Amino acid sequence: MSLDETAKDPGYKLLKSYQPYPDVSDELLDPDGQVRPVWRPFLNHLNSLTSDEITDRFARGNQYLNDAGVYFRQYGQDGAHEREWPLSHIPVVISEDDWTIIAQGLVQRAELLEHVVADLYGKNSLVSEGYLPAGLVAESPEWQRPLVGISPKSGHHLHFLAFEIGRGPDGRWWVLSDRAQAPSGAGFALENRVATGRVFNEFFAKANVHRLAGFFRRFRDHLVDLRDETDSRVSILTPGPLNDTYFEHAYIARYLGFMLLEGEDLSVQDGRLMVRTVAGLKPVSVLWRRLDTAWSDPVELNESSHIGTPGLVQAVRQGSVTMVNALGTGILETRALLAFLPRISEHLLGESLKLPNVATWWCGEEGTRTYVKEHAETMMFSPALSTALPFSSAQTDFIGRDFGKFHKGILETWIDSQSQNLVAQEAVTLSTTPAYQDGLLVPRPMSLRVFLARTSDGWEVMSGGFARIGRSEDASAIAMQAGGSAADVWIVGSKTPKQETLLHQTESPFFKSQAGALPSRAADNLFWLGRYVERAEGAVRLLRAYHTRLLETADPEAPLVAQTADFLESVGVAPTSAPPIPEGLCAMLQSAVVSASKVRDRFSVDGWLALNDLAQTANGAKRAMRSDADVPRAMGLLLRKITGFSGLVHENMYRFTGWRFLSIGRALERAHRMADLLSVFTAPDAPEGSLELLLEVGDSAMSMSRRYAVSLSKATVLDLLAMDPKNPRSVMYQLTDMKEHISVLPDADEHGYLSDLARSVLQAHTALAIATAETLTPEALADLRDQIGYLSVELTDAYIR
């Protein structure tokens, strides 16, 4: 069916204005203007939907990504901020036969790159025999001299690769860039698949689209097999939450069951790489790094790095850790290397590249430079040592014709002056693929990112990946930082693909693995997450009580109102400042979000979304409040959301050590705050109504009426809120909870003796257990408050530092 016939066919109404770019290959239409066979079933399905149905389905996919918390960090003049993942809902559809050709070419290229990087850090014969210019290697910031002569423990430098590929005007696929440093995007490919699968759920289920889970399972199993011994660990090394792809790091760590670590979590002891955990140092023998080599070790590489691990290179040198990928492999991303790979392939592999890279010329050779100057207006120029992606927002590329139009001969002169540090490449015209815009399909430029993983059976190509889609006809705008979007890639076969999951299916007996080690930094963030959330809840309860009484008296100088305001100010949430919802409360919730963001691999998606919603609700209420009269209702809403989040975490979080640190933080904060409140509002000079306020803030008014037959008194309030072991709001209840959690932490019992932390919490618990309402004076309560507060210091000394 030709394009003209397609436009007339009501079954293809979405294509009525689909006009491919001149002299550009298109994924949907073949050179004769016919819809490619692999696209027809999907196009038939899409055309069977009404515009409203398509809109609703796209919204379903967007809602999934929003609920899953998928984002990427965008950088602009106003700084960095999180942006919703820009999904292009129409997948890129490729036939199984075409993909087989691509996969074969990329596997060959992966083997070639392994040989090249092994030579550059080994015999260096490619330079000595003239296949590579010495200057391109020696001057590259990605070539790390401290790593020369080090053989990887696993026997391979490369374990996980990505290739940026595009289809040229002649229909052939070309490699645009090799990504070997710390390839990103595999996690986003998974999320694209889930979201797009939900958009087209009925069709996807029967469309013979190859699945992705088996690829990740086999790669995970390979990494596990690389361990030294069963008690060593496979971990993922991340630069941290400020990295633009941190979401993916946390997602992959959670998906594969690996620890997500930052440089400060690791230590090198006697040449072995160890992770600092609450149970002491534990060995890490496989590290999948997601940060650049130069930043990984401030001792031997970049001394200004604050995100690396001192001594990491020495651990690699001594063979105690397998790096994925090996340190120094960023040299393979050097733009100029593309000019030499075809000849190097003939030399090392004895065969031509099955999937050629975009034509590239290094201008440092006179003959090549002459050719480049003769064809300069059709070429793209960039620094020879650049490792930036083509068409990225960070590119420094430009087209010769744009440079040369200013003055005749200026381009040739510039090429001569910059020759050693300059590469020229064929000005690539990317193929187009359908995108949905204003109710119709339109062609947009695209490139594919394809992933390869080394498994026990050799290199395996992910049956898919993700596509970068341009926002306009301009191919330079396909990068997401430049406003581009991402699409799923469907590899479609003729048979129903094997259903695979990340888990092995077996009928053999099983055994339970030991609980995973908890890095000290993760324990610290979970502990403070518990504290910040509980601190915010306490502030919300007290703010509601304050504003309720202020509305009743209309007098901010009334004794109880004024004392409550003083107490709130002492804990950082002064109610007298504008707006009525204090900045201090929003800061508490933001601190909780920051703590949770640093342990996203250990945090459920629902918990993360609930916490963010809580913080956003507080900020929204802060902006919406018109007067103090609106505050009690807003506090009630926040209180329900806080308790909902706490209940969600408590019910869903597995009872590993991390849950205990979160619970300890929550219990310590509640006990500390209640002891503080009691010391102030049970004092002899406390204003009238203080006891009622304590019961309200402690959510114990109903318990008081049922528990005690006598009238309200200081003694009954102290008994209920300080000493009652069955009241979850009492100090005693929280101390009991802390004592139980601490008793099962690592090293809580040292050779039959309690640790300092276990002893301190027992002392506080015992002191309160033998107290009476008469002995719990304000001074005694203040001492108890300080004793509880010091438990935080002791916990940090024991498990965090």
Side-chain angles (χ1 to χ4, degrees):
M1 180 178 290
S2 69
L3 180 59
D4 289 339
E5 293 170 330
T6 295
K8 297 174 184 177
D9 189 329
Y12 289 91
K13 59 183 182 295
L14 293 175
L15 287 179
K16 63 182 181 182
S17 60
Y18 193 88
Q19 295 294 331
Y21 306 161
D23 302 320
V24 173
S25 178
D26 186 74
E27 295 304 311
L28 176 65
L29 303 178
D30 65 18
D32 297 327
Q34 295 182 330
V35 175
R36 297 180 191 272
V38 71
W39 276 90
R40 289 174 185 167
F42 174 74
L43 197 60
N44 289 334
H45 173 72
L46 188 63
N47 278 277
S48 71
L49 305 174
T50 66
S51 296
D52 288 343
E53 287 175 329
I54 292 175
T55 299
D56 289 345
R57 287 166 179 266
F58 287 4
R60 182 194 305 166
N62 294 339
Q63 187 62 52
Y64 164 77
L65 293 170
N66 183 64
D67 290 346
V70 184
Y71 74 92
F72 80 100
R73 191 173 298 279
Q74 187 170 35
Y75 300 94
Q77 294 181 348
D78 57 346
H81 59 277
E82 292 183 3
R83 177 188 166 193
E84 292 182 356
W85 186 248
L87 178 68
S88 181
H89 304 85
I90 304 299
V92 176
V93 184
I94 300 175
S95 72
E96 185 178 63
D97 292 341
D98 283 349
W99 194 253
T100 298
I101 296 173
I102 292 172
Q104 290 172 348
L106 293 181
V107 168
Q108 180 208 45
R109 194 176 187 88
E111 288 294 337
L112 175 61
L113 293 180
E114 176 67 44
H115 286 301
V116 170
V117 72
D119 180 81
L120 291 178
Y121 288 104
K123 295 183 300 182
N124 208 16
S125 62
L126 291 175
V127 171
S128 64
E129 296 176 15
Y131 289 92
L132 274 176
L136 285 182
V137 178
E139 295 175 13
S140 171
E142 299 299 338
W143 189 63
Q144 305 295 342
R145 287 174 176 80
L147 298 166
V148 174
I150 299 177
S151 297
K153 178 184 175 184
S154 67
H156 297 104
H157 290 78
L158 302 174
H159 296 268
F160 195 85
L161 293 170
F163 296 98
E164 204 77 18
I165 67 173
R167 195 196 292 265
D170 61 358
R172 291 188 301 167
W173 289 95
W174 296 79
V175 174
L176 306 176
S177 179
D178 305 305
R179 313 312 294 174
Q181 173 82 271
S184 63
F188 291 125
L190 275 171
E191 288 290 34
N192 286 342
R193 171 58 54 86
V194 176
T196 307
R198 294 195 178 190
V199 172
F200 303 109
N201 57 313
E202 306 101 325
F203 177 79
F204 182 84
K206 57 185 179 182
N208 297 341
V209 178
H210 288 212
R211 304 304 195 250
L212 305 181
F215 170 85
F216 286 97
R217 188 187 75 240
R218 287 182 283 276
F219 180 54
R220 179 199 61 190
D221 293 348
H222 172 67
L223 295 185
V224 171
D225 290 342
L226 290 175
R227 293 180 302 166
D228 283 335
E229 55 274 325
T230 56
D231 69 334
S232 67
R233 285 154 180 82
V234 180
S235 301
I236 297 175
L237 179 61
T238 175
L242 297 182
N243 185 264
D244 56 345
T245 57
Y246 176 74
F247 167 84
E248 185 199 15
H249 304 169
Y251 177 83
I252 287 290
R254 187 167 57 240
Y255 183 69
L256 298 181
F258 295 155
M259 281 196 299
L260 184 64
L261 304 177
E262 296 182 29
E264 65 182 277
D265 295 325
L266 295 165
S267 173
V268 177
Q269 302 290 327
D270 299 323
R272 296 192 70 192
L273 187 64
M274 313 291 282
V275 57
R276 297 184 179 93
T277 77
V278 296
L281 296 174
K282 301 294 182 182
V284 173
S285 57
V286 180
L287 191 63
W288 184 3
R289 65 180 179 89
R290 303 303 300 272
L291 79 166
D292 292 351
T293 295
W295 301 100
S296 62
D297 185 347
V299 173
E300 297 198 49
L301 301 174
N302 189 335
E303 63 182 12
S304 66
S305 174
H306 295 286
I307 58 176
T309 302
L312 182 59
V313 171
Q314 182 61 22
V316 172
R317 185 178 291 117
Q318 293 193 202
S320 70
V321 60
T322 293
M323 299 297 296
V324 177
N325 287 330
L327 297 175
T329 50
I331 186 69
L332 297 174
E333 298 182 358
T334 305
R335 189 76 60 87
L337 186 61
L338 295 174
F340 303 94
L341 283 180
R343 184 172 174 230
I344 291 174
S345 178
E346 296 280 1
H347 170 62
L348 293 179
L349 303 182
E351 56 187 16
S352 301
L353 290 173
K354 296 178 181 178
L355 199 67
N357 49 249
V358 61
T360 305
W361 298 267
W362 177 57
C363 297
E365 298 172 336
E366 184 176 354
T368 301
R369 191 162 60 252
T370 299
Y371 176 85
V372 167
K373 286 190 287 186
E374 292 174 353
H375 302 83
E377 292 190 0
T378 64
M379 293 185 179
M380 181 174 67
F381 293 87
S382 61
L385 302 181
S386 172
T387 59
L389 278 171
F391 310 108
S392 73
S393 60
Q395 67 175 327
T396 54
D397 307 334
F398 59 88
I399 304 298
R401 60 176 176 269
D402 298 328
F403 192 95
K405 67 184 179 182
F406 296 106
H407 188 278
K408 185 177 181 179
I410 192 172
L411 180 56
E412 289 80 359
T413 302
W414 178 79
I415 291 172
D416 286 332
S417 67
Q418 300 292 322
S419 59
Q420 296 297 313
N421 187 38
L422 193 67
V423 292
Q425 292 181 296
E426 180 182 358
V428 177
T429 301
L430 294 177
S431 65
T432 55
T433 192
Y436 189 80
Q437 181 177 307
D438 299 328
L440 295 172
L441 293 179
V442 295
R444 288 290 179 259
M446 70 103 189
S447 69
L448 298 186
R449 175 160 289 200
V450 186
F451 303 93
L452 275 72
R454 190 183 293 279
T455 71
S456 59
D457 297 323
W459 287 107
E460 180 172 343
V461 181
M462 181 193 291
S463 293
F466 81 82
R468 296 192 298 163
I469 309 296
R471 63 178 176 179
S472 65
E473 297 182 12
D474 181 8
S476 66
I478 67 172
M480 286 182 291
Q481 294 288 348
S485 55
D488 191 16
V489 178
W490 289 4
I491 310 305
V492 178
S494 57
K495 299 179 181 179
T496 302
K498 179 181 178 181
Q499 297 296 316
E500 294 189 282
T501 69
L502 194 65
L503 301 177
H504 290 288
Q505 301 293 324
T506 178
E507 299 298 328
S508 59
F510 69 91
F511 67 94
K512 293 182 179 180
S513 61
Q514 64 184 51
L518 180 67
S520 297
R521 179 186 53 84
D524 187 35
N525 283 291
L526 288 167
F527 171 71
W528 279 100
L529 172 61
R531 291 202 67 175
Y532 285 132
V533 171
E534 184 60 36
R535 187 175 295 178
E537 181 181 338
V540 165
R541 290 183 180 277
L542 196 55
L543 280 166
R544 184 173 65 172
Y546 167 83
H547 282 283
T548 299
R549 283 155 181 77
L550 180 61
L551 290 173
E552 292 172 351
T553 63
D555 180 10
E557 301 301 323
L560 182 57
V561 174
Q563 181 152 327
T564 306
D566 290 343
F567 186 90
L568 283 164
E569 185 172 6
S570 72
V571 296
V573 284
T576 54
S577 60
I581 294 183
E583 293 284 353
L585 174 59
C586 295
M588 289 176 187
L589 292 171
Q590 186 57 39
S591 294
V593 170
V594 170
S595 293
S597 72
K598 295 178 180 179
V599 287
R600 282 195 68 169
D601 59 311
R602 298 172 179 274
F603 218 64
S604 73
V605 172
D606 288 337
W608 172 255
L609 291 173
L611 184 59
N612 270 283
D613 178 58
L614 177 58
Q616 291 168 7
T617 300
N619 281 305
K622 179 183 69 176
R623 294 188 294 269
M625 290 296 99
R626 296 174 182 248
S627 69
D628 290 347
D630 297 326
V631 177
R633 180 183 56 81
M635 290 299 104
L637 174 62
L638 283 177
L639 186 59
R640 291 190 292 275
K641 291 200 172 190
I642 290 176
T643 53
F645 165 78
S646 298
L648 180 67
V649 171
H650 182 79
E651 289 299 320
N652 292 347
M653 198 167 181
Y654 196 86
R655 269 43 176 175
F656 275 160
T657 307
W659 170 76
R660 295 194 183 280
F661 274 88
L662 181 72
S663 299
I664 290 170
R666 181 184 179 191
L668 188 149
E669 188 65 36
R670 183 174 290 187
H672 184 270
R673 180 59 56 85
M674 182 54 69
D676 198 13
L677 280 165
L678 289 171
S679 71
V680 172
F681 289 95
T682 62
D685 59 348
E688 184 179 351
S690 293
L691 299 181
E692 289 86 347
L693 181 139
L694 285 170
L695 290 176
E696 180 181 336
V697 173
D699 197 20
S700 297
M702 185 180 297
S703 299
M704 171 63 71
S705 62
R706 292 184 175 181
R707 179 79 171 79
Y708 301 93
V710 298
S711 59
L712 179 66
S713 68
K714 182 171 71 173
T716 56
V717 169
L718 286 171
D719 185 63
L720 182 61
L721 295 180
M723 298 180 291
D724 194 327
K726 296 181 180 180
N727 181 10
R729 294 285 168 181
S730 75
V731 179
M732 174 59 78
Y733 185 97
Q734 302 306 324
L735 285 174
T736 301
D737 198 35
M738 276 192 287
K739 184 167 69 74
E740 292 175 355
H741 286 305
I742 290 172
S743 69
V744 295
L745 291 182
D747 300 325
D749 188 314
E750 302 170 353
H751 307 295
Y753 296 93
L754 293 178
S755 66
D756 290 343
L757 175 62
R759 187 179 300 110
S760 294
V761 73
L762 178 60
Q763 288 173 342
H765 185 275
T766 303
L768 185 57
I770 63 175
T772 64
E774 290 73 23
T775 61
L776 281 180
T777 63
E779 293 76 20
L781 287 164
D783 288 343
L784 178 62
R785 173 202 62 202
D786 294 342
Q787 193 175 1
I788 294 170
Y790 191 69
L791 292 175
S792 181
V793 176
E794 292 189 295
L795 182 138
T796 299
D797 288 340
Y799 296 106
I800 310 302
R801 290 180 182 174

